[in-house]
Amino acid sequence: MSVPISDKLFLNYLQCKYKAYLNLAGKSGIKCDYENLLDDQSSSYRRCAREYFRQSNQIIPLPEATTTFKDIKKQKPAFATDVSIFNDRHNLIIAAVEVVSTSSPAKPAYQPVIYLPHQKTTKQDKLLLAFCGLALSHEQKVEPTIGKFIFGEKFSSSRVQLPSLIKAAGKIEKEIIRMMEIQAAPPLRLNDHCKMCEFQAGCMAAAKEKDDLSLLKGLSGKEIDALNKRGIFTVTQYSYTFRPRRARKLIAQKIVKHHHALNALAIRTQTIYIASKSDLPTAPTRVYLDVEGIPDENFYYLIGLIIDDGTNVTTHSFWANDKSEEK
């Protein structure tokens, strides 16, 4: 089961260890429309980015076919796209590589470049960039210290320091190798990625059959591990651990946190519980506000208002077709 680690496998492991295991085992599911949309968006942006750099005359005309890193070391271009690395450890295609300005012309060192169609970079994006840097370091025997993101409609660039991220990516790589060696499935844990995962239906059915603790949204992996050490493995078991606090303590407590054990109890007994009574503010006029936008682009395109003055209810909608109309 030991195979070279691809960028797709690495990303799947970041999203869900169990998903990575299923892919390694040759399993496949039905991709949802949103996941297909993201794949299409990423492919389209990659093509647009390549064309942008060609037309901007920032680089020598690029080849249409994928270039191996061995070819890069022979030709020594300043910039190249779709660079493949394949050996007994890694199997991936880096969106682009760029010569580090301080490197020797006789033996240039390269840094990885990743294209992102969205405006914001996530921790997963940075770790994926570091994984590309890790693969580069094994090929060129020099660890890149900088990585670059090309993102957004204007193909803006952002540099990221890689040393600490490469160290973290190396630990994750070792975890993946270990998973391959022992050929044992990691614990099934539902998470936020499930809603767009191709294995969603099967994992949800398995979790319900096991009455798994990850069915409780908001319960982190570390919290589940801690509960497992206490011998608690199911939602039903967890539901018996809830103990209501005394009224005086609830009054003194300014913010009542979410009680996962109470949530488990509500599921077991099919009952709605109120953790504490909330005093809702009152006013002669009430205004209800709703804002909709695209977080990745920092763009808010709709503000909706409902105004209730006690006699009449009026609604207002403010729409922006683009960012120029947002203000």
Side-chain angles (χ1 to χ4, degrees):
M1 199 173 180
S2 180
V3 295
I5 300 175
S6 67
D7 48 348
K8 181 180 178 181
L9 175 61
F10 186 84
L11 182 58
N12 286 341
Y13 190 84
L14 293 179
Q15 294 168 341
C16 174
K17 297 178 182 180
Y18 193 73
K19 177 181 181 179
Y21 174 81
L22 291 176
N23 282 323
L24 278 172
K27 305 291 184 181
S28 62
I30 300 175
K31 286 188 176 183
C32 67
D33 292 340
Y34 183 67
E35 191 171 12
N36 287 325
L37 175 65
L38 291 180
D39 289 343
D40 293 342
Q41 185 184 38
S42 180
S43 299
S44 176
Y45 187 81
R46 194 162 181 157
R47 290 193 299 269
C48 292
R50 293 180 78 254
E51 187 62 26
Y52 170 79
F53 286 113
R54 176 182 286 120
Q55 293 182 359
S56 63
N57 296 321
Q58 295 181 15
I59 58 173
I60 299 172
L62 302 171
E64 293 297 331
T66 300
T67 305
T68 66
F69 192 75
K70 292 180 181 180
D71 296 331
I72 297 296
K73 289 193 288 187
K74 292 178 182 178
Q75 300 171 8
K76 300 180 177 62
F79 190 98
T81 63
D82 296 328
V83 178
S84 69
I85 294 178
F86 180 77
N87 50 47
D88 58 349
R89 188 166 184 171
H90 299 111
N91 177 20
L92 69 155
I93 297 177
I94 304 177
V97 296
E98 184 178 36
V99 168
V100 181
S101 58
T102 57
S103 60
S104 170
K107 191 178 180 182
Y110 290 87
Q111 63 186 19
V113 181
I114 285 183
Y115 302 141
L116 297 176
H118 43 271
Q119 293 284 351
K120 294 184 179 180
T121 57
T122 65
K123 183 178 180 180
Q124 288 186 355
D125 294 329
K126 292 178 181 180
L127 284 171
L128 183 60
L129 181 64
F131 174 70
C132 294
L134 186 64
L136 270 178
S137 66
H138 286 290
E139 287 289 317
Q140 63 186 9
K141 310 306 178 186
V142 176
E143 184 177 289
T145 58
I146 299 291
K148 182 188 285 186
F149 289 115
I150 303 296
F151 62 93
E153 296 177 356
K154 297 181 180 179
F155 303 103
S156 304
S157 64
S158 174
R159 294 180 180 273
V160 178
Q161 297 289 332
L162 289 182
S164 60
L165 289 168
I166 286 180
K167 186 176 181 180
K171 290 181 180 179
I172 295 171
E173 185 180 272
K174 290 179 181 178
E175 292 176 7
I176 297 174
I177 293 173
R178 175 62 177 164
M179 183 177 68
M180 294 178 184
E181 290 175 346
I182 63 177
Q183 298 188 27
L188 189 155
R189 295 276 173 83
L190 302 181
N191 59 35
D192 290 338
H193 179 69
C194 292
K195 62 186 110 176
M196 59 169 287
C197 179
E198 59 187 297
F199 302 110
Q200 176 186 9
C203 290
M204 180 61 73
K208 287 182 177 179
E209 183 179 355
K210 291 170 53 182
D211 194 24
D212 192 78
L213 285 170
S214 62
L215 289 166
L216 297 173
K217 294 182 179 180
L219 201 60
S220 68
K222 289 184 179 179
E223 289 173 317
I224 292 176
D225 290 337
L227 289 170
N228 290 166
K229 290 179 181 179
R230 292 168 52 192
I232 300 171
F233 297 93
T234 68
V235 174
T236 300
Q237 289 175 328
Y238 192 28
S239 68
Y240 287 101
T241 67
F242 177 73
R243 297 293 182 270
R245 296 188 178 184
R246 293 181 180 180
R248 281 183 298 178
K249 290 186 177 181
L250 288 175
I251 293 173
Q253 191 177 14
K254 292 182 179 180
I255 300 176
V256 179
K257 68 176 183 179
H258 179 75
H259 298 288
H260 296 293
L262 179 58
N263 189 11
L265 179 62
I267 293 173
R268 177 171 64 86
T269 60
Q270 293 295 295
T271 304
I272 297 174
Y273 293 95
I274 300 176
S276 64
K277 184 179 179 181
S278 300
D279 294 325
L280 298 177
T282 60
T285 301
R286 301 186 183 213
V287 179
Y288 303 89
L289 175 69
D290 175 42
V291 180
E292 296 185 12
I294 306 175
D296 287 342
E297 299 181 10
N298 290 320
F299 174 44
Y300 300 94
Y301 57 83
L302 175 62
I303 296 177
L305 289 173
I306 297 177
I307 302 175
D308 181 0
D309 61 8
T311 304
N312 301 309
V313 177
T314 57
T315 60
H316 306 270
S317 296
F318 304 93
W319 181 274
N321 289 301
D322 52 48
K323 290 188 177 181
S324 66
E325 298 179 1
E326 185 179 23
K327 185 175 180 179

Coordinates of all heavy atoms in Angstrom, one line a residue, residues 51-95:
E51 N -2.3 32.0 -18.8 CA -2.4 32.9 -19.9 C -2.0 34.3 -19.5 O -1.5 35.1 -20.3 CB -3.9 32.9 -20.4 CG -4.1 33.7 -21.7 CD -3.3 33.1 -22.9 OE1 -3.0 31.9 -22.9 OE2 -3.0 33.9 -23.8
Y52 N -2.4 34.7 -18.3 CA -2.0 36.1 -17.8 C -0.5 36.3 -17.8 O 0.0 37.3 -18.3 CB -2.6 36.2 -16.4 CG -2.1 37.5 -15.7 CD1 -2.7 38.7 -16.0 CD2 -1.1 37.4 -14.8 CE1 -2.2 39.9 -15.4 CE2 -0.6 38.6 -14.1 CZ -1.2 39.8 -14.5 OH -0.7 40.9 -13.8
F53 N 0.2 35.3 -17.3 CA 1.7 35.5 -17.3 C 2.3 35.4 -18.7 O 3.3 36.1 -18.9 CB 2.3 34.4 -16.4 CG 2.1 34.6 -14.9 CD1 1.3 33.7 -14.2 CD2 2.7 35.7 -14.3 CE1 1.1 34.0 -12.8 CE2 2.5 35.9 -12.9 CZ 1.7 35.0 -12.2
R54 N 1.7 34.7 -19.6 CA 2.2 34.7 -21.0 C 2.0 36.0 -21.6 O 2.9 36.6 -22.2 CB 1.4 33.6 -21.8 CG 1.9 33.6 -23.2 CD 1.1 32.5 -24.0 NE 1.6 31.2 -23.7 CZ 0.9 30.2 -23.2 NH1 -0.4 30.4 -23.0 NH2 1.4 29.0 -23.0
Q55 N 0.8 36.6 -21.5 CA 0.5 37.9 -22.1 C 1.2 39.1 -21.5 O 1.4 40.1 -22.1 CB -1.0 38.1 -22.1 CG -1.8 37.1 -23.0 CD -3.3 37.4 -23.0 OE1 -3.8 38.4 -22.4 NE2 -4.0 36.7 -23.8
S56 N 1.5 39.0 -20.2 CA 2.1 40.1 -19.5 C 3.6 40.1 -19.8 O 4.3 41.0 -19.3 CB 1.9 39.9 -18.0 OG 2.5 38.8 -17.5
N57 N 4.1 39.2 -20.6 CA 5.6 39.1 -21.0 C 6.5 39.1 -19.8 O 7.6 39.5 -19.9 CB 5.9 40.3 -21.9 CG 5.1 40.3 -23.2 OD1 5.0 39.3 -23.8 ND2 4.7 41.5 -23.6
Q58 N 6.0 38.5 -18.7 CA 6.9 38.4 -17.5 C 7.8 37.2 -17.6 O 8.8 37.1 -16.9 CB 6.0 38.3 -16.3 CG 5.2 39.5 -16.0 CD 4.4 39.4 -14.7 OE1 4.7 38.5 -13.9 NE2 3.4 40.3 -14.5
I59 N 7.4 36.3 -18.5 CA 8.2 35.1 -18.6 C 8.4 34.7 -20.1 O 7.7 35.2 -21.0 CB 7.6 33.9 -17.8 CG1 6.2 33.7 -18.3 CG2 7.6 34.2 -16.3 CD1 5.5 32.5 -17.8
I60 N 9.2 33.7 -20.3 CA 9.4 33.1 -21.7 C 8.1 32.3 -22.0 O 7.5 31.7 -21.1 CB 10.6 32.2 -21.7 CG1 11.9 33.0 -21.4 CG2 10.7 31.5 -23.1 CD1 13.1 32.2 -21.2
P61 N 7.6 32.3 -23.2 CA 6.4 31.5 -23.6 C 6.5 30.2 -23.0 O 7.5 29.4 -23.1 CB 6.4 31.5 -25.1 CG 7.1 32.8 -25.5 CD 8.2 33.0 -24.4
L62 N 5.4 29.8 -22.3 CA 5.3 28.5 -21.6 C 4.9 27.3 -22.5 O 4.1 27.5 -23.4 CB 4.3 28.6 -20.4 CG 4.6 29.8 -19.5 CD1 3.5 30.0 -18.5 CD2 5.9 29.5 -18.7
P63 N 5.4 26.2 -22.2 CA 5.0 25.0 -22.9 C 3.6 24.6 -22.5 O 3.2 24.8 -21.4 CB 6.0 23.9 -22.5 CG 6.5 24.4 -21.2 CD 6.5 25.9 -21.2
E64 N 2.9 24.0 -23.4 CA 1.5 23.5 -23.1 C 1.6 22.2 -22.2 O 0.7 22.0 -21.4 CB 0.7 23.2 -24.4 CG 0.4 24.5 -25.2 CD -0.4 25.4 -24.4 OE1 -1.3 25.0 -23.6 OE2 -0.3 26.7 -24.7
A65 N 2.6 21.4 -22.4 CA 2.7 20.1 -21.7 C 3.3 20.3 -20.3 O 4.0 21.3 -20.1 CB 3.5 19.1 -22.5
T66 N 3.0 19.4 -19.5 CA 3.6 19.4 -18.1 C 5.2 19.2 -18.3 O 5.6 18.4 -19.0 CB 3.0 18.3 -17.3 OG1 1.6 18.6 -17.2 CG2 3.6 18.4 -15.9
T67 N 5.9 20.0 -17.5 CA 7.4 19.9 -17.5 C 7.8 19.2 -16.2 O 7.4 19.5 -15.1 CB 8.0 21.3 -17.5 OG1 7.5 22.0 -18.6 CG2 9.5 21.2 -17.6
T68 N 8.8 18.3 -16.4 CA 9.3 17.6 -15.2 C 10.4 18.5 -14.5 O 11.0 19.3 -15.2 CB 9.9 16.2 -15.6 OG1 11.1 16.5 -16.4 CG2 8.9 15.4 -16.3
F69 N 10.6 18.2 -13.3 CA 11.6 19.1 -12.6 C 13.0 18.8 -13.1 O 13.9 19.6 -13.0 CB 11.5 18.9 -11.1 CG 12.3 19.9 -10.3 CD1 11.8 21.2 -10.2 CD2 13.5 19.6 -9.7 CE1 12.6 22.2 -9.5 CE2 14.3 20.5 -9.0 CZ 13.8 21.8 -8.9
K70 N 13.2 17.6 -13.6 CA 14.5 17.2 -14.2 C 14.8 18.1 -15.4 O 15.9 18.6 -15.6 CB 14.5 15.8 -14.6 CG 14.5 14.8 -13.4 CD 14.5 13.3 -13.9 CE 14.5 12.4 -12.7 NZ 14.5 11.0 -13.1
D71 N 13.7 18.4 -16.2 CA 13.9 19.3 -17.3 C 14.2 20.7 -16.8 O 15.0 21.4 -17.5 CB 12.6 19.3 -18.2 CG 12.4 18.0 -18.8 OD1 13.3 17.2 -19.1 OD2 11.2 17.7 -19.1
I72 N 13.6 21.1 -15.7 CA 13.8 22.4 -15.2 C 15.3 22.6 -14.8 O 15.9 23.7 -15.0 CB 12.9 22.7 -14.0 CG1 11.4 22.6 -14.4 CG2 13.2 24.0 -13.3 CD1 11.0 23.7 -15.3
K73 N 15.8 21.6 -14.2 CA 17.2 21.7 -13.7 C 18.2 21.8 -14.9 O 19.2 22.4 -14.8 CB 17.6 20.5 -12.9 CG 16.9 20.5 -11.5 CD 17.5 19.5 -10.5 CE 17.2 18.1 -10.9 NZ 17.6 17.1 -9.9
K74 N 17.8 21.2 -16.1 CA 18.6 21.3 -17.2 C 18.5 22.6 -17.9 O 19.5 23.3 -18.3 CB 18.3 20.2 -18.2 CG 18.6 18.8 -17.7 CD 18.2 17.7 -18.8 CE 18.5 16.3 -18.3 NZ 18.0 15.3 -19.2
Q75 N 17.3 23.1 -18.1 CA 17.0 24.3 -18.8 C 17.2 25.6 -18.0 O 17.4 26.7 -18.5 CB 15.6 24.3 -19.4 CG 15.3 23.1 -20.3 CD 13.9 23.0 -20.7 OE1 13.1 23.9 -20.4 NE2 13.5 21.9 -21.4
K76 N 17.0 25.5 -16.7 CA 17.2 26.6 -15.7 C 16.4 27.8 -16.1 O 16.9 29.0 -16.1 CB 18.7 27.0 -15.6 CG 19.6 25.9 -15.2 CD 21.0 26.4 -15.1 CE 22.0 25.3 -14.5 NZ 22.0 24.1 -15.4
P77 N 15.0 27.7 -16.3 CA 14.2 28.9 -16.6 C 14.0 29.7 -15.3 O 14.1 29.1 -14.2 CB 12.9 28.3 -17.1 CG 12.8 26.9 -16.5 CD 14.3 26.5 -16.3
A78 N 13.6 30.9 -15.5 CA 13.4 31.8 -14.3 C 12.0 31.4 -13.7 O 11.8 31.6 -12.5 CB 13.4 33.2 -14.7
F79 N 11.1 30.9 -14.6 CA 9.7 30.7 -14.1 C 9.2 29.6 -15.0 O 9.4 29.6 -16.2 CB 8.9 31.9 -14.2 CG 7.5 31.9 -13.6 CD1 7.3 32.4 -12.3 CD2 6.4 31.3 -14.3 CE1 6.0 32.3 -11.7 CE2 5.2 31.2 -13.7 CZ 5.0 31.7 -12.4
A80 N 8.5 28.6 -14.4 CA 7.8 27.6 -15.2 C 6.6 27.1 -14.5 O 6.5 27.1 -13.3 CB 8.8 26.4 -15.4
T81 N 5.6 26.7 -15.3 CA 4.3 26.2 -14.8 C 4.1 24.7 -15.0 O 4.8 24.1 -15.8 CB 3.2 27.0 -15.4 OG1 3.1 26.7 -16.8 CG2 3.3 28.5 -15.3
D82 N 3.2 24.2 -14.2 CA 2.8 22.8 -14.3 C 4.1 21.9 -14.2 O 4.3 21.1 -15.2 CB 2.0 22.5 -15.6 CG 0.7 23.3 -15.5 OD1 0.1 23.4 -14.5 OD2 0.2 23.7 -16.6
V83 N 4.8 22.0 -13.2 CA 6.0 21.2 -13.0 C 5.8 20.0 -12.2 O 5.3 20.0 -11.1 CB 7.1 22.1 -12.3 CG1 8.4 21.3 -12.1 CG2 7.4 23.4 -13.1
S84 N 6.0 18.8 -12.8 CA 5.8 17.5 -12.2 C 7.0 17.0 -11.4 O 8.1 17.2 -11.9 CB 5.3 16.5 -13.2 OG 6.4 16.1 -14.0
I85 N 6.7 16.4 -10.3 CA 7.8 15.8 -9.5 C 7.3 14.4 -9.2 O 6.2 14.2 -8.6 CB 8.0 16.5 -8.1 CG1 8.6 17.9 -8.4 CG2 8.9 15.7 -7.2 CD1 8.9 18.7 -7.2
F86 N 8.0 13.4 -9.6 CA 7.6 12.0 -9.4 C 8.9 11.2 -9.0 O 9.8 11.1 -9.8 CB 7.0 11.4 -10.7 CG 6.6 10.0 -10.5 CD1 5.4 9.7 -9.9 CD2 7.4 8.9 -11.0 CE1 5.0 8.3 -9.7 CE2 7.0 7.6 -10.8 CZ 5.8 7.3 -10.2
N87 N 8.8 10.6 -7.8 CA 9.9 9.8 -7.4 C 9.2 8.8 -6.4 O 8.0 8.6 -6.3 CB 11.0 10.6 -6.7 CG 10.5 11.6 -5.7 OD1 9.6 11.2 -4.8 ND2 11.0 12.8 -5.7
D88 N 10.0 8.0 -5.6 CA 9.5 7.0 -4.7 C 8.8 7.6 -3.5 O 8.1 6.9 -2.7 CB 10.6 6.1 -4.3 CG 11.7 6.8 -3.6 OD1 11.8 8.0 -3.6 OD2 12.6 6.1 -3.0
R89 N 8.9 9.0 -3.4 CA 8.3 9.6 -2.2 C 7.2 10.6 -2.5 O 6.2 10.7 -1.8 CB 9.4 10.4 -1.5 CG 9.0 11.0 -0.1 CD 10.2 11.4 0.7 NE 9.9 11.9 2.0 CZ 10.7 12.2 3.0 NH1 12.0 12.0 2.7 NH2 10.3 12.6 4.1
H90 N 7.3 11.3 -3.7 CA 6.3 12.3 -4.0 C 5.8 12.1 -5.5 O 6.5 11.6 -6.3 CB 6.9 13.7 -3.9 CG 7.3 14.0 -2.5 ND1 8.6 14.2 -2.2 CD2 6.6 14.2 -1.4 CE1 8.8 14.5 -0.9 NE2 7.5 14.5 -0.4
N91 N 4.6 12.4 -5.7 CA 3.9 12.4 -7.0 C 3.0 13.6 -7.1 O 1.8 13.5 -6.6 CB 3.2 11.1 -7.3 CG 2.5 11.1 -8.6 OD1 2.9 11.9 -9.5 ND2 1.6 10.2 -8.7
L92 N 3.4 14.7 -7.6 CA 2.5 15.9 -7.7 C 2.9 16.8 -8.8 O 4.0 16.6 -9.4 CB 2.6 16.7 -6.4 CG 4.0 17.4 -6.1 CD1 3.7 18.6 -5.1 CD2 5.0 16.4 -5.5
I93 N 2.0 17.7 -9.2 CA 2.3 18.7 -10.2 C 2.1 20.1 -9.5 O 1.1 20.4 -9.0 CB 1.3 18.6 -11.3 CG1 1.5 17.3 -12.1 CG2 1.5 19.8 -12.3 CD1 0.5 17.1 -13.2
I94 N 3.2 20.8 -9.4 CA 3.2 22.1 -8.8 C 2.8 23.1 -9.8 O 3.2 23.1 -11.0 CB 4.6 22.5 -8.2 CG1 5.1 21.4 -7.3 CG2 4.6 23.9 -7.6 CD1 6.5 21.7 -6.7
A95 N 1.9 24.0 -9.4 CA 1.3 25.0 -10.3 C 2.4 25.8 -11.0 O 2.3 26.0 -12.3 CB 0.4 26.0 -9.6

